[in-house]
Amino acid sequence: QVQLVESGGGLVQPGESLTLSCAASGIGYVIPIMGWYRQAPGKGRELVATLTGRGETNYAHSVKERFIISRDNAKNTVDLQMNNLKPEDTAVYSCHVRTSLAVEGVDYWGKGTLVTVSS
């Protein structure tokens, strides 16, 4: 059974940094795509950053130059280092993995961790 466990959310002030971590269990191979999405209050879910098993990254324009995604393929973990946080980064951040790039791939989601940026 695939499980995603996130950690690292919390309350920070504007300009501060925070790192989110996600550990995926139940998958015995390098996960093709791992990433983070977020949902702000009253808004839909949006992509934050993804990272393939080959090291290809994709970032939302709003977080480029501020956030860094990294992963450990041996452990199937993915981290999101968030720098220079802004109030508009406030959201529930969810870890996402996709088991295959093919059509039959399955998407899994973590329960989410709340990040609040406020002075």
Side-chain angles (χ1 to χ4, degrees):
Q1 183 177 0
V2 177
Q3 286 189 322
L4 304 180
V5 178
E6 301 132 328
S7 61
L11 171 64
V12 296
Q13 295 188 346
E16 293 186 338
S17 298
L18 200 62
T19 299
L20 305 181
S21 298
C22 173
S25 61
I27 300 177
Y29 54 87
V30 176
I31 300 172
I33 297 178
M34 303 184 78
W36 292 90
Y37 287 70
R38 68 185 181 186
Q39 186 166 17
K43 296 186 177 181
R45 185 166 59 193
E46 64 172 355
L47 178 147
V48 178
T50 59
L51 177 56
T52 71
R54 296 182 297 183
E56 299 154 327
T57 58
N58 183 32
Y59 289 94
H61 180 74
S62 60
V63 307
K64 271 187 178 180
E65 310 302 329
R66 298 189 298 124
F67 289 12
I68 301 172
I69 188 170
S70 61
R71 61 184 285 174
D72 185 329
N73 288 341
K75 298 179 180 179
N76 272 341
T77 59
V78 60
D79 291 344
L80 183 69
Q81 179 182 336
M82 306 183 291
N83 302 313
N84 190 22
L85 282 161
K86 303 176 180 181
E88 51 264 41
D89 294 317
T90 295
V92 174
Y93 286 71
S94 298
C95 179
H96 166 262
V97 304
R98 184 165 177 83
T99 59
S100 171
L101 297 178
V103 173
E104 61 268 21
V106 178
D107 295 294
Y108 291 94
W109 297 90
K111 293 182 178 180
T113 183
L114 177 62
V115 173
T116 303
V117 185
S118 175
S119 55

PDB file of all heavy atoms in Angstrom, residues 68-104:
ATOM      1  N   ILE A  68      13.297  25.354  -3.967  1.00  0.00           N
ATOM      2  CA  ILE A  68      14.163  24.333  -4.558  1.00  0.00           C
ATOM      3  C   ILE A  68      13.612  22.960  -4.200  1.00  0.00           C
ATOM      4  O   ILE A  68      13.417  22.650  -3.019  1.00  0.00           O
ATOM      5  CB  ILE A  68      15.609  24.449  -4.033  1.00  0.00           C
ATOM      6  CG1 ILE A  68      16.191  25.834  -4.364  1.00  0.00           C
ATOM      7  CG2 ILE A  68      16.490  23.360  -4.646  1.00  0.00           C
ATOM      8  CD1 ILE A  68      17.531  26.094  -3.707  1.00  0.00           C
ATOM      9  N   ILE A  69      13.386  22.143  -5.208  1.00  0.00           N
ATOM     10  CA  ILE A  69      12.908  20.783  -4.979  1.00  0.00           C
ATOM     11  C   ILE A  69      14.076  19.828  -5.136  1.00  0.00           C
ATOM     12  O   ILE A  69      14.930  19.996  -6.014  1.00  0.00           O
ATOM     13  CB  ILE A  69      11.751  20.415  -5.936  1.00  0.00           C
ATOM     14  CG1 ILE A  69      11.137  19.080  -5.548  1.00  0.00           C
ATOM     15  CG2 ILE A  69      12.211  20.420  -7.397  1.00  0.00           C
ATOM     16  CD1 ILE A  69       9.841  18.753  -6.286  1.00  0.00           C
ATOM     17  N   SER A  70      14.116  18.826  -4.260  1.00  0.00           N
ATOM     18  CA  SER A  70      15.172  17.822  -4.331  1.00  0.00           C
ATOM     19  C   SER A  70      14.592  16.485  -3.910  1.00  0.00           C
ATOM     20  O   SER A  70      13.541  16.431  -3.257  1.00  0.00           O
ATOM     21  CB  SER A  70      16.351  18.219  -3.433  1.00  0.00           C
ATOM     22  OG  SER A  70      15.939  18.303  -2.075  1.00  0.00           O
ATOM     23  N   ARG A  71      15.275  15.420  -4.245  1.00  0.00           N
ATOM     24  CA  ARG A  71      14.781  14.092  -3.895  1.00  0.00           C
ATOM     25  C   ARG A  71      15.941  13.139  -3.665  1.00  0.00           C
ATOM     26  O   ARG A  71      17.049  13.353  -4.143  1.00  0.00           O
ATOM     27  CB  ARG A  71      13.846  13.569  -4.981  1.00  0.00           C
ATOM     28  CG  ARG A  71      14.489  13.423  -6.349  1.00  0.00           C
ATOM     29  CD  ARG A  71      13.461  12.994  -7.398  1.00  0.00           C
ATOM     30  NE  ARG A  71      13.109  11.593  -7.269  1.00  0.00           N
ATOM     31  CZ  ARG A  71      12.164  10.982  -7.963  1.00  0.00           C
ATOM     32  NH1 ARG A  71      11.443  11.683  -8.844  1.00  0.00           N
ATOM     33  NH2 ARG A  71      11.913   9.697  -7.805  1.00  0.00           N
ATOM     34  N   ASP A  72      15.623  12.084  -2.938  1.00  0.00           N
ATOM     35  CA  ASP A  72      16.557  10.997  -2.711  1.00  0.00           C
ATOM     36  C   ASP A  72      15.928   9.761  -3.337  1.00  0.00           C
ATOM     37  O   ASP A  72      14.977   9.203  -2.788  1.00  0.00           O
ATOM     38  CB  ASP A  72      16.792  10.815  -1.207  1.00  0.00           C
ATOM     39  CG  ASP A  72      17.850   9.762  -0.907  1.00  0.00           C
ATOM     40  OD1 ASP A  72      17.979   8.803  -1.682  1.00  0.00           O
ATOM     41  OD2 ASP A  72      18.535   9.910   0.110  1.00  0.00           O
ATOM     42  N   ASN A  73      16.437   9.358  -4.470  1.00  0.00           N
ATOM     43  CA  ASN A  73      15.842   8.229  -5.192  1.00  0.00           C
ATOM     44  C   ASN A  73      15.949   6.919  -4.424  1.00  0.00           C
ATOM     45  O   ASN A  73      15.077   6.055  -4.537  1.00  0.00           O
ATOM     46  CB  ASN A  73      16.492   8.082  -6.561  1.00  0.00           C
ATOM     47  CG  ASN A  73      16.075   9.187  -7.519  1.00  0.00           C
ATOM     48  OD1 ASN A  73      15.066   9.848  -7.314  1.00  0.00           O
ATOM     49  ND2 ASN A  73      16.855   9.403  -8.558  1.00  0.00           N
ATOM     50  N   ALA A  74      17.006   6.771  -3.656  1.00  0.00           N
ATOM     51  CA  ALA A  74      17.193   5.527  -2.908  1.00  0.00           C
ATOM     52  C   ALA A  74      16.141   5.384  -1.802  1.00  0.00           C
ATOM     53  O   ALA A  74      15.734   4.286  -1.456  1.00  0.00           O
ATOM     54  CB  ALA A  74      18.590   5.484  -2.325  1.00  0.00           C
ATOM     55  N   LYS A  75      15.727   6.520  -1.255  1.00  0.00           N
ATOM     56  CA  LYS A  75      14.765   6.499  -0.151  1.00  0.00           C
ATOM     57  C   LYS A  75      13.350   6.867  -0.591  1.00  0.00           C
ATOM     58  O   LYS A  75      12.418   6.781   0.211  1.00  0.00           O
ATOM     59  CB  LYS A  75      15.218   7.463   0.947  1.00  0.00           C
ATOM     60  CG  LYS A  75      16.556   7.118   1.575  1.00  0.00           C
ATOM     61  CD  LYS A  75      16.939   8.131   2.640  1.00  0.00           C
ATOM     62  CE  LYS A  75      18.281   7.795   3.271  1.00  0.00           C
ATOM     63  NZ  LYS A  75      18.678   8.792   4.299  1.00  0.00           N
ATOM     64  N   ASN A  76      13.204   7.304  -1.834  1.00  0.00           N
ATOM     65  CA  ASN A  76      11.908   7.789  -2.328  1.00  0.00           C
ATOM     66  C   ASN A  76      11.357   8.903  -1.438  1.00  0.00           C
ATOM     67  O   ASN A  76      10.205   8.858  -0.976  1.00  0.00           O
ATOM     68  CB  ASN A  76      10.897   6.649  -2.473  1.00  0.00           C
ATOM     69  CG  ASN A  76      10.980   5.980  -3.830  1.00  0.00           C
ATOM     70  OD1 ASN A  76      11.515   6.551  -4.790  1.00  0.00           O
ATOM     71  ND2 ASN A  76      10.471   4.770  -3.935  1.00  0.00           N
ATOM     72  N   THR A  77      12.204   9.871  -1.195  1.00  0.00           N
ATOM     73  CA  THR A  77      11.784  11.060  -0.461  1.00  0.00           C
ATOM     74  C   THR A  77      11.951  12.291  -1.351  1.00  0.00           C
ATOM     75  O   THR A  77      12.800  12.306  -2.252  1.00  0.00           O
ATOM     76  CB  THR A  77      12.611  11.270   0.819  1.00  0.00           C
ATOM     77  OG1 THR A  77      13.994  11.388   0.457  1.00  0.00           O
ATOM     78  CG2 THR A  77      12.439  10.107   1.787  1.00  0.00           C
ATOM     79  N   VAL A  78      11.143  13.286  -1.097  1.00  0.00           N
ATOM     80  CA  VAL A  78      11.229  14.541  -1.846  1.00  0.00           C
ATOM     81  C   VAL A  78      11.090  15.697  -0.869  1.00  0.00           C
ATOM     82  O   VAL A  78      10.234  15.673   0.017  1.00  0.00           O
ATOM     83  CB  VAL A  78      10.165  14.605  -2.962  1.00  0.00           C
ATOM     84  CG1 VAL A  78       8.758  14.513  -2.418  1.00  0.00           C
ATOM     85  CG2 VAL A  78      10.350  15.864  -3.805  1.00  0.00           C
ATOM     86  N   ASP A  79      11.955  16.687  -1.006  1.00  0.00           N
ATOM     87  CA  ASP A  79      11.940  17.861  -0.151  1.00  0.00           C
ATOM     88  C   ASP A  79      11.635  19.114  -0.976  1.00  0.00           C
ATOM     89  O   ASP A  79      11.939  19.176  -2.166  1.00  0.00           O
ATOM     90  CB  ASP A  79      13.294  18.050   0.533  1.00  0.00           C
ATOM     91  CG  ASP A  79      13.591  16.981   1.564  1.00  0.00           C
ATOM     92  OD1 ASP A  79      12.645  16.267   1.976  1.00  0.00           O
ATOM     93  OD2 ASP A  79      14.763  16.844   1.942  1.00  0.00           O
ATOM     94  N   LEU A  80      11.082  20.089  -0.303  1.00  0.00           N
ATOM     95  CA  LEU A  80      10.841  21.388  -0.935  1.00  0.00           C
ATOM     96  C   LEU A  80      11.395  22.459  -0.006  1.00  0.00           C
ATOM     97  O   LEU A  80      10.839  22.705   1.068  1.00  0.00           O
ATOM     98  CB  LEU A  80       9.352  21.624  -1.181  1.00  0.00           C
ATOM     99  CG  LEU A  80       9.005  22.927  -1.903  1.00  0.00           C
ATOM    100  CD1 LEU A  80       9.480  22.850  -3.361  1.00  0.00           C
ATOM    101  CD2 LEU A  80       7.502  23.195  -1.864  1.00  0.00           C
ATOM    102  N   GLN A  81      12.497  23.065  -0.421  1.00  0.00           N
ATOM    103  CA  GLN A  81      13.080  24.153   0.357  1.00  0.00           C
ATOM    104  C   GLN A  81      12.457  25.451  -0.124  1.00  0.00           C
ATOM    105  O   GLN A  81      12.558  25.809  -1.301  1.00  0.00           O
ATOM    106  CB  GLN A  81      14.599  24.187   0.175  1.00  0.00           C
ATOM    107  CG  GLN A  81      15.275  25.308   0.951  1.00  0.00           C
ATOM    108  CD  GLN A  81      16.778  25.353   0.722  1.00  0.00           C
ATOM    109  OE1 GLN A  81      17.404  24.367   0.361  1.00  0.00           O
ATOM    110  NE2 GLN A  81      17.365  26.513   0.946  1.00  0.00           N
ATOM    111  N   MET A  82      11.820  26.153   0.784  1.00  0.00           N
ATOM    112  CA  MET A  82      11.104  27.373   0.430  1.00  0.00           C
ATOM    113  C   MET A  82      11.810  28.562   1.083  1.00  0.00           C
ATOM    114  O   MET A  82      11.891  28.633   2.311  1.00  0.00           O
ATOM    115  CB  MET A  82       9.650  27.294   0.888  1.00  0.00           C
ATOM    116  CG  MET A  82       8.929  26.054   0.366  1.00  0.00           C
ATOM    117  SD  MET A  82       7.190  25.992   0.827  1.00  0.00           S
ATOM    118  CE  MET A  82       7.341  25.716   2.578  1.00  0.00           C
ATOM    119  N   ASN A  83      12.324  29.458   0.268  1.00  0.00           N
ATOM    120  CA  ASN A  83      13.053  30.633   0.739  1.00  0.00           C
ATOM    121  C   ASN A  83      12.268  31.904   0.438  1.00  0.00           C
ATOM    122  O   ASN A  83      11.434  31.945  -0.465  1.00  0.00           O
ATOM    123  CB  ASN A  83      14.423  30.697   0.063  1.00  0.00           C
ATOM    124  CG  ASN A  83      15.251  29.464   0.308  1.00  0.00           C
ATOM    125  OD1 ASN A  83      15.367  28.987   1.441  1.00  0.00           O
ATOM    126  ND2 ASN A  83      15.835  28.921  -0.760  1.00  0.00           N
ATOM    127  N   ASN A  84      12.578  32.935   1.203  1.00  0.00           N
ATOM    128  CA  ASN A  84      11.938  34.226   0.994  1.00  0.00           C
ATOM    129  C   ASN A  84      10.420  34.085   0.863  1.00  0.00           C
ATOM    130  O   ASN A  84       9.801  34.559  -0.094  1.00  0.00           O
ATOM    131  CB  ASN A  84      12.507  34.905  -0.259  1.00  0.00           C
ATOM    132  CG  ASN A  84      12.061  36.344  -0.403  1.00  0.00           C
ATOM    133  OD1 ASN A  84      11.669  36.992   0.573  1.00  0.00           O
ATOM    134  ND2 ASN A  84      12.081  36.838  -1.632  1.00  0.00           N
ATOM    135  N   LEU A  85       9.843  33.430   1.844  1.00  0.00           N
ATOM    136  CA  LEU A  85       8.408  33.159   1.792  1.00  0.00           C
ATOM    137  C   LEU A  85       7.591  34.442   1.850  1.00  0.00           C
ATOM    138  O   LEU A  85       7.971  35.416   2.514  1.00  0.00           O
ATOM    139  CB  LEU A  85       8.014  32.227   2.937  1.00  0.00           C
ATOM    140  CG  LEU A  85       8.371  30.752   2.684  1.00  0.00           C
ATOM    141  CD1 LEU A  85       8.405  29.965   3.976  1.00  0.00           C
ATOM    142  CD2 LEU A  85       7.368  30.141   1.702  1.00  0.00           C
ATOM    143  N   LYS A  86       6.464  34.422   1.141  1.00  0.00           N
ATOM    144  CA  LYS A  86       5.579  35.569   1.060  1.00  0.00           C
ATOM    145  C   LYS A  86       4.193  35.176   1.574  1.00  0.00           C
ATOM    146  O   LYS A  86       3.842  33.985   1.553  1.00  0.00           O
ATOM    147  CB  LYS A  86       5.465  36.029  -0.396  1.00  0.00           C
ATOM    148  CG  LYS A  86       6.794  36.365  -1.052  1.00  0.00           C
ATOM    149  CD  LYS A  86       6.612  36.720  -2.511  1.00  0.00           C
ATOM    150  CE  LYS A  86       7.951  37.045  -3.166  1.00  0.00           C
ATOM    151  NZ  LYS A  86       7.791  37.411  -4.601  1.00  0.00           N
ATOM    152  N   PRO A  87       3.409  36.137   2.018  1.00  0.00           N
ATOM    153  CA  PRO A  87       2.062  35.814   2.502  1.00  0.00           C
ATOM    154  C   PRO A  87       1.243  35.027   1.466  1.00  0.00           C
ATOM    155  O   PRO A  87       0.444  34.160   1.851  1.00  0.00           O
ATOM    156  CB  PRO A  87       1.456  37.191   2.784  1.00  0.00           C
ATOM    157  CG  PRO A  87       2.630  38.039   3.146  1.00  0.00           C
ATOM    158  CD  PRO A  87       3.737  37.561   2.249  1.00  0.00           C
ATOM    159  N   GLU A  88       1.452  35.302   0.200  1.00  0.00           N
ATOM    160  CA  GLU A  88       0.698  34.582  -0.834  1.00  0.00           C
ATOM    161  C   GLU A  88       1.138  33.130  -1.002  1.00  0.00           C
ATOM    162  O   GLU A  88       0.515  32.393  -1.772  1.00  0.00           O
ATOM    163  CB  GLU A  88       0.800  35.314  -2.185  1.00  0.00           C
ATOM    164  CG  GLU A  88       2.215  35.653  -2.625  1.00  0.00           C
ATOM    165  CD  GLU A  88       2.621  37.075  -2.267  1.00  0.00           C
ATOM    166  OE1 GLU A  88       2.286  37.534  -1.148  1.00  0.00           O
ATOM    167  OE2 GLU A  88       3.292  37.709  -3.114  1.00  0.00           O
ATOM    168  N   ASP A  89       2.183  32.724  -0.305  1.00  0.00           N
ATOM    169  CA  ASP A  89       2.579  31.311  -0.297  1.00  0.00           C
ATOM    170  C   ASP A  89       1.785  30.504   0.722  1.00  0.00           C
ATOM    171  O   ASP A  89       1.914  29.281   0.788  1.00  0.00           O
ATOM    172  CB  ASP A  89       4.074  31.175   0.022  1.00  0.00           C
ATOM    173  CG  ASP A  89       4.970  31.764  -1.057  1.00  0.00           C
ATOM    174  OD1 ASP A  89       4.675  31.543  -2.252  1.00  0.00           O
ATOM    175  OD2 ASP A  89       5.952  32.439  -0.700  1.00  0.00           O
ATOM    176  N   THR A  90       0.981  31.187   1.525  1.00  0.00           N
ATOM    177  CA  THR A  90       0.153  30.499   2.513  1.00  0.00           C
ATOM    178  C   THR A  90      -0.797  29.525   1.829  1.00  0.00           C
ATOM    179  O   THR A  90      -1.554  29.912   0.936  1.00  0.00           O
ATOM    180  CB  THR A  90      -0.650  31.520   3.342  1.00  0.00           C
ATOM    181  OG1 THR A  90       0.261  32.322   4.098  1.00  0.00           O
ATOM    182  CG2 THR A  90      -1.623  30.814   4.282  1.00  0.00           C
ATOM    183  N   ALA A  91      -0.716  28.268   2.230  1.00  0.00           N
ATOM    184  CA  ALA A  91      -1.533  27.231   1.591  1.00  0.00           C
ATOM    185  C   ALA A  91      -1.299  25.896   2.286  1.00  0.00           C
ATOM    186  O   ALA A  91      -0.385  25.768   3.104  1.00  0.00           O
ATOM    187  CB  ALA A  91      -1.167  27.095   0.115  1.00  0.00           C
ATOM    188  N   VAL A  92      -2.138  24.935   1.951  1.00  0.00           N
ATOM    189  CA  VAL A  92      -1.878  23.548   2.327  1.00  0.00           C
ATOM    190  C   VAL A  92      -1.049  22.935   1.206  1.00  0.00           C
ATOM    191  O   VAL A  92      -1.473  22.937   0.041  1.00  0.00           O
ATOM    192  CB  VAL A  92      -3.186  22.765   2.523  1.00  0.00           C
ATOM    193  CG1 VAL A  92      -2.887  21.287   2.771  1.00  0.00           C
ATOM    194  CG2 VAL A  92      -3.984  23.342   3.693  1.00  0.00           C
ATOM    195  N   TYR A  93       0.109  22.431   1.551  1.00  0.00           N
ATOM    196  CA  TYR A  93       1.033  21.849   0.583  1.00  0.00           C
ATOM    197  C   TYR A  93       0.903  20.328   0.634  1.00  0.00           C
ATOM    198  O   TYR A  93       1.011  19.733   1.709  1.00  0.00           O
ATOM    199  CB  TYR A  93       2.466  22.272   0.894  1.00  0.00           C
ATOM    200  CG  TYR A  93       2.745  23.710   0.519  1.00  0.00           C
ATOM    201  CD1 TYR A  93       2.179  24.755   1.247  1.00  0.00           C
ATOM    202  CD2 TYR A  93       3.557  24.023  -0.569  1.00  0.00           C
ATOM    203  CE1 TYR A  93       2.415  26.079   0.890  1.00  0.00           C
ATOM    204  CE2 TYR A  93       3.805  25.344  -0.925  1.00  0.00           C
ATOM    205  CZ  TYR A  93       3.226  26.363  -0.191  1.00  0.00           C
ATOM    206  OH  TYR A  93       3.461  27.671  -0.537  1.00  0.00           O
ATOM    207  N   SER A  94       0.725  19.728  -0.526  1.00  0.00           N
ATOM    208  CA  SER A  94       0.539  18.278  -0.608  1.00  0.00           C
ATOM    209  C   SER A  94       1.607  17.643  -1.484  1.00  0.00           C
ATOM    210  O   SER A  94       1.935  18.169  -2.559  1.00  0.00           O
ATOM    211  CB  SER A  94      -0.838  17.942  -1.186  1.00  0.00           C
ATOM    212  OG  SER A  94      -1.875  18.427  -0.355  1.00  0.00           O
ATOM    213  N   CYS A  95       2.100  16.543  -1.008  1.00  0.00           N
ATOM    214  CA  CYS A  95       3.070  15.757  -1.760  1.00  0.00           C
ATOM    215  C   CYS A  95       2.328  14.922  -2.803  1.00  0.00           C
ATOM    216  O   CYS A  95       1.217  14.428  -2.532  1.00  0.00           O
ATOM    217  CB  CYS A  95       3.837  14.867  -0.790  1.00  0.00           C
ATOM    218  SG  CYS A  95       5.069  13.786  -1.537  1.00  0.00           S
ATOM    219  N   HIS A  96       2.920  14.751  -3.950  1.00  0.00           N
ATOM    220  CA  HIS A  96       2.312  13.970  -5.028  1.00  0.00           C
ATOM    221  C   HIS A  96       3.363  13.064  -5.667  1.00  0.00           C
ATOM    222  O   HIS A  96       4.509  13.463  -5.868  1.00  0.00           O
ATOM    223  CB  HIS A  96       1.739  14.911  -6.090  1.00  0.00           C
ATOM    224  CG  HIS A  96       1.390  14.226  -7.380  1.00  0.00           C
ATOM    225  ND1 HIS A  96       2.230  14.221  -8.478  1.00  0.00           N
ATOM    226  CD2 HIS A  96       0.297  13.502  -7.733  1.00  0.00           C
ATOM    227  CE1 HIS A  96       1.661  13.541  -9.451  1.00  0.00           C
ATOM    228  NE2 HIS A  96       0.487  13.095  -9.025  1.00  0.00           N
ATOM    229  N   VAL A  97       2.955  11.852  -5.980  1.00  0.00           N
ATOM    230  CA  VAL A  97       3.807  10.960  -6.763  1.00  0.00           C
ATOM    231  C   VAL A  97       2.969  10.309  -7.852  1.00  0.00           C
ATOM    232  O   VAL A  97       1.760  10.128  -7.696  1.00  0.00           O
ATOM    233  CB  VAL A  97       4.487   9.865  -5.908  1.00  0.00           C
ATOM    234  CG1 VAL A  97       5.279  10.463  -4.775  1.00  0.00           C
ATOM    235  CG2 VAL A  97       3.474   8.865  -5.378  1.00  0.00           C
ATOM    236  N   ARG A  98       3.622   9.986  -8.941  1.00  0.00           N
ATOM    237  CA  ARG A  98       2.969   9.246 -10.019  1.00  0.00           C
ATOM    238  C   ARG A  98       3.810   8.014 -10.290  1.00  0.00           C
ATOM    239  O   ARG A  98       5.031   8.125 -10.477  1.00  0.00           O
ATOM    240  CB  ARG A  98       2.834  10.096 -11.270  1.00  0.00           C
ATOM    241  CG  ARG A  98       2.076   9.389 -12.394  1.00  0.00           C
ATOM    242  CD  ARG A  98       1.634  10.341 -13.483  1.00  0.00           C
ATOM    243  NE  ARG A  98       0.989   9.622 -14.574  1.00  0.00           N
ATOM    244  CZ  ARG A  98      -0.293   9.253 -14.566  1.00  0.00           C
ATOM    245  NH1 ARG A  98      -1.063   9.555 -13.541  1.00  0.00           N
ATOM    246  NH2 ARG A  98      -0.806   8.602 -15.587  1.00  0.00           N
ATOM    247  N   THR A  99       3.151   6.849 -10.306  1.00  0.00           N
ATOM    248  CA  THR A  99       3.898   5.597 -10.326  1.00  0.00           C
ATOM    249  C   THR A  99       4.478   5.257 -11.689  1.00  0.00           C
ATOM    250  O   THR A  99       5.347   4.393 -11.786  1.00  0.00           O
ATOM    251  CB  THR A  99       3.006   4.440  -9.875  1.00  0.00           C
ATOM    252  OG1 THR A  99       1.877   4.358 -10.757  1.00  0.00           O
ATOM    253  CG2 THR A  99       2.523   4.655  -8.448  1.00  0.00           C
ATOM    254  N   SER A 100       3.978   5.918 -12.748  1.00  0.00           N
ATOM    255  CA  SER A 100       4.477   5.630 -14.079  1.00  0.00           C
ATOM    256  C   SER A 100       4.164   6.812 -14.986  1.00  0.00           C
ATOM    257  O   SER A 100       3.167   7.504 -14.783  1.00  0.00           O
ATOM    258  CB  SER A 100       3.832   4.363 -14.634  1.00  0.00           C
ATOM    259  OG  SER A 100       4.151   4.196 -16.013  1.00  0.00           O
ATOM    260  N   LEU A 101       5.010   7.020 -15.975  1.00  0.00           N
ATOM    261  CA  LEU A 101       4.746   8.074 -16.955  1.00  0.00           C
ATOM    262  C   LEU A 101       3.725   7.612 -17.990  1.00  0.00           C
ATOM    263  O   LEU A 101       3.170   8.420 -18.725  1.00  0.00           O
ATOM    264  CB  LEU A 101       6.043   8.477 -17.662  1.00  0.00           C
ATOM    265  CG  LEU A 101       7.119   9.086 -16.767  1.00  0.00           C
ATOM    266  CD1 LEU A 101       8.366   9.392 -17.584  1.00  0.00           C
ATOM    267  CD2 LEU A 101       6.614  10.326 -16.069  1.00  0.00           C
ATOM    268  N   ALA A 102       3.457   6.329 -18.016  1.00  0.00           N
ATOM    269  CA  ALA A 102       2.488   5.781 -18.970  1.00  0.00           C
ATOM    270  C   ALA A 102       1.064   6.068 -18.513  1.00  0.00           C
ATOM    271  O   ALA A 102       0.832   6.504 -17.381  1.00  0.00           O
ATOM    272  CB  ALA A 102       2.710   4.281 -19.108  1.00  0.00           C
ATOM    273  N   VAL A 103       0.132   5.789 -19.381  1.00  0.00           N
ATOM    274  CA  VAL A 103      -1.272   6.075 -19.100  1.00  0.00           C
ATOM    275  C   VAL A 103      -1.747   5.338 -17.848  1.00  0.00           C
ATOM    276  O   VAL A 103      -2.558   5.860 -17.073  1.00  0.00           O
ATOM    277  CB  VAL A 103      -2.147   5.690 -20.312  1.00  0.00           C
ATOM    278  CG1 VAL A 103      -3.624   5.829 -19.977  1.00  0.00           C
ATOM    279  CG2 VAL A 103      -1.789   6.552 -21.505  1.00  0.00           C
ATOM    280  N   GLU A 104      -1.230   4.151 -17.656  1.00  0.00           N
ATOM    281  CA  GLU A 104      -1.678   3.357 -16.505  1.00  0.00           C
ATOM    282  C   GLU A 104      -1.072   3.800 -15.187  1.00  0.00           C
ATOM    283  O   GLU A 104      -1.330   3.199 -14.142  1.00  0.00           O
ATOM    284  CB  GLU A 104      -1.371   1.867 -16.731  1.00  0.00           C
ATOM    285  CG  GLU A 104       0.103   1.547 -16.903  1.00  0.00           C
ATOM    286  CD  GLU A 104       0.525   1.554 -18.359  1.00  0.00           C
ATOM    287  OE1 GLU A 104      -0.193   2.169 -19.162  1.00  0.00           O
ATOM    288  OE2 GLU A 104       1.554   0.948 -18.675  1.00  0.00           O
TER     289      GLU A 104
END
